[in-house]
Amino acid sequence: MKLILELCFWICIGLVAYTYVGYGIVAWIFVKIRKIFGFTFKKYNDPTFLPEVTLVVPAYNEMSCIEAKVINTFGLDYPSDKFEVLFVTEGSNDGTSEYIASLQSEYSNLRMIAGDTRRGKIEAMNMAMKTVNTPIVIFTDANTTLNHAVIKNIVRHFQDPIVGAVAGEKRIQTEGSEAAAGAGEGLYWKYESFLKKLDTELYSVVGAAGELFAVRTNLFEHVEKDTLLDDFIISLRIAANGFRVIYEPDAYASERPSFSIQDEMKRKIRISAGGFQAIARLGFLWNIFRYGLLSFQYVSHRAMRWAVAPFCLPLLVLINLILLITGSELLDNFIYHLLMLAQIAFYILALLGYYLENKKIRVKILFVPFYFSFMNYCAILGYFRYKNGLTSGIWEKVKRAE
């Protein structure tokens, strides 16, 4: 029995380590091997390639940020005759629709889909895609700011016929006095950006950030209205059909972090629930014999992040405790005492980070244990939310820091 427990303990450690560190190392090694043997993907950067593009912006009750979004959008570096902007404001009752309507005489390339009923972001995207006539569509959120050359940096990848989608970068705008949740989220996205760069060089990104991603219009598939992670489902289905999803770090959307840890927790739990929903709907991607590298990337980078590592962490504490109680050999006791102390210290630092976050006190050394523990805790809660059927395609708006 003790041997089985020890085996389970070390397997759990291995799974957690692989999920958060090991996959990055393995992917980096594979990329280096590909380069040694000359198996690299051709890069395209023809500045004269300027296809027609539609920028779709779902905007439900976004009056607080819509003016800034309009100014940012129409200030982007792209020919206005090649560039259409489509705001989907269905269900808005705060003046968003009226504001966009008042601008249509000023901007000839501005369109709007409005209505009295709120159906959610997914249905807004589905409605928008029925009216898009350009070969490329870019989705972005209303509360984000895009960099000046974002469209040019995205569309150049579509010169490659095997590219079906392009994932932009999400950046968190944090300030010196920012709460730990925001600072931790920023660190998380920096690490994610590093992994996405490796994913692209290895084969394909496994999932785009909804704040900014682009697809070939003819590859878009209708998304089920109860879908929680539209960006993830859309991009993975395109990848599963044999197209690459490219990560472009020079096309980025910046946004403020969640206003509080409570707001961030709501968002993370919902994303985690969406992760389990996606795992169920994309079950075919586990077939590595059919999908090869894409399956390897999907399982390693995404599925294990949601469905394996979060549940291994509490198991490690429990099994470690049992091994200490039942241990007899001196060396065993020393190792498992040391590992238990390390776990206790880590979670004490995480709790201290949570306490100081509520006090709006910023201590950098606590960001990693706090946000790591917080993220995995939300993943577990997200699983139970998904299992209990508490899912809807209509997102509850999260308050952002000013």
Side-chain angles (χ1 to χ4, degrees):
M1 182 64 181
K2 183 184 176 184
L3 183 60
I4 293 174
L5 286 173
E6 286 185 305
L7 183 61
C8 290
F9 181 80
W10 291 106
I11 287 175
C12 284
I13 286 182
L15 289 172
V16 172
Y18 176 76
T19 301
Y20 289 104
V21 180
Y23 169 66
I25 295 173
V26 172
W28 181 83
I29 292 171
F30 282 178
V31 167
K32 290 297 182 182
I33 292 173
R34 287 182 65 96
K35 289 181 178 179
I36 290 172
F37 288 97
F39 297 124
T40 57
F41 295 102
K42 184 178 178 181
K43 295 183 179 180
Y44 293 80
N45 196 16
D46 181 359
T48 65
F49 181 74
L50 299 171
E52 293 185 334
V53 173
T54 298
L55 189 73
V56 174
V57 188
Y60 168 74
N61 281 355
E62 298 285 6
M63 198 59 202
S64 62
C65 61
I66 200 68
E67 182 178 0
K69 185 65 177 181
V70 168
I71 293 172
N72 173 240
T73 299
F74 286 99
L76 298 177
D77 181 19
Y78 207 73
S80 59
D81 61 333
K82 301 273 191 178
F83 168 39
E84 182 178 64
V85 182
L86 174 56
F87 282 90
V88 187
T89 62
E90 48 86 38
S92 293
N93 55 17
D94 69 339
T96 300
S97 298
E98 291 78 6
Y99 176 75
I100 296 298
S102 71
L103 299 174
Q104 288 184 295
S105 60
E106 181 179 353
Y107 300 105
S108 59
N109 55 341
L110 172 62
R111 286 200 298 124
M112 178 179 67
I113 296 176
D116 298 327
T117 304
R118 184 189 181 195
R119 297 180 178 86
K121 181 181 178 182
I122 289 79
E123 283 296 83
M125 295 168 71
N126 285 330
M127 286 190 297
M129 290 304 296
K130 293 177 182 178
T131 72
V132 171
N133 296 313
T134 59
I136 297 171
V137 60
I138 300 174
F139 297 101
T140 182
D141 287 346
N143 65 338
T144 61
T145 302
L146 307 181
N147 63 300
H148 191 56
V150 63
I151 300 178
K152 287 183 177 179
N153 290 336
I154 284 176
V155 300
R156 62 187 178 87
H157 294 290
F158 288 105
Q159 295 174 72
D160 187 347
I162 200 64
V163 171
V166 177
E169 180 176 334
K170 174 180 176 178
R171 295 186 180 181
I172 303 299
Q173 298 173 319
T174 56
E175 298 174 356
S177 59
E178 209 71 76
E185 187 182 2
L187 289 173
Y188 170 76
W189 279 106
K190 287 178 182 179
Y191 180 60
E192 271 297 295
S193 295
F194 168 73
L195 291 181
K196 285 182 178 180
K197 185 175 183 294
L198 289 175
D199 282 341
T200 295
E201 293 179 345
L202 182 58
Y203 174 61
S204 175
V205 170
V206 281
E211 289 78 7
L212 177 64
F213 72 105
V215 302
R216 292 188 188 273
T217 304
N218 65 330
L219 297 181
F220 180 89
E221 297 180 11
H222 181 89
V223 186
E224 299 87 341
K225 66 180 181 179
D226 65 337
T227 301
L228 297 176
L229 298 182
D230 52 272
D231 45 5
F232 188 78
I233 291 289
I234 292 169
S235 56
L236 260 295
R237 283 176 174 168
I238 288 173
N241 286 330
F243 295 88
R244 292 179 68 215
V245 180
I246 300 298
Y247 166 64
E248 176 48 72
D250 289 328
Y252 54 88
S254 303
E255 70 175 14
R256 297 288 286 132
S258 301
F259 178 75
S260 67
I261 190 63
Q262 288 75 26
D263 288 301
E264 180 66 4
M265 179 175 286
K266 290 178 185 177
R267 194 177 73 87
K268 283 293 186 188
I269 291 173
R270 188 173 176 83
I271 288 174
S272 298
F276 287 102
Q277 182 190 63
I279 288 173
R281 291 182 177 176
L282 299 172
F284 54 86
L285 280 179
W286 289 79
N287 186 352
I288 196 168
F289 298 103
R290 179 177 178 182
Y291 296 101
L293 273 175
L294 181 63
S295 289
F296 165 69
Q297 292 179 291
Y298 166 69
V299 172
S300 299
H301 191 171
R302 294 300 178 188
M304 290 183 68
R305 183 85 60 91
W306 284 318
V308 178
F311 298 92
C312 286
L313 292 170
L315 275 177
L316 281 171
V317 177
L318 178 61
I319 296 174
N320 202 161
L321 183 61
I322 295 173
L323 288 172
L324 284 178
I325 294 172
T326 60
S328 56
E329 295 182 17
L330 184 61
L331 181 59
D332 279 354
N333 274 334
F334 174 75
I335 292 172
Y336 291 118
H337 269 101
L338 190 63
L339 291 171
M340 178 58 83
L341 287 173
Q343 291 183 83
I344 292 172
F346 185 86
Y347 291 121
I348 287 175
L349 290 175
L351 289 171
L352 182 58
Y354 173 75
Y355 172 78
L356 293 178
E357 190 282 333
N358 284 325
K359 297 290 185 181
K360 306 299 180 184
I361 299 174
R362 187 182 191 217
V363 182
K364 286 187 177 181
I365 198 172
L366 302 178
F367 290 172
V368 172
F370 166 67
Y371 201 75
F372 178 85
S373 303
F374 168 74
M375 185 172 58
N376 283 284
Y377 175 64
C378 289
I380 294 172
L381 295 181
Y383 168 75
F384 289 108
R385 178 168 181 168
Y386 168 69
K387 292 298 289 184
N388 291 329
L390 302 176
T391 57
S392 168
I394 300 177
W395 280 67
E396 179 184 350
K397 290 177 72 67
V398 172
K399 186 176 180 182
R400 294 282 174 180
E402 297 296 333

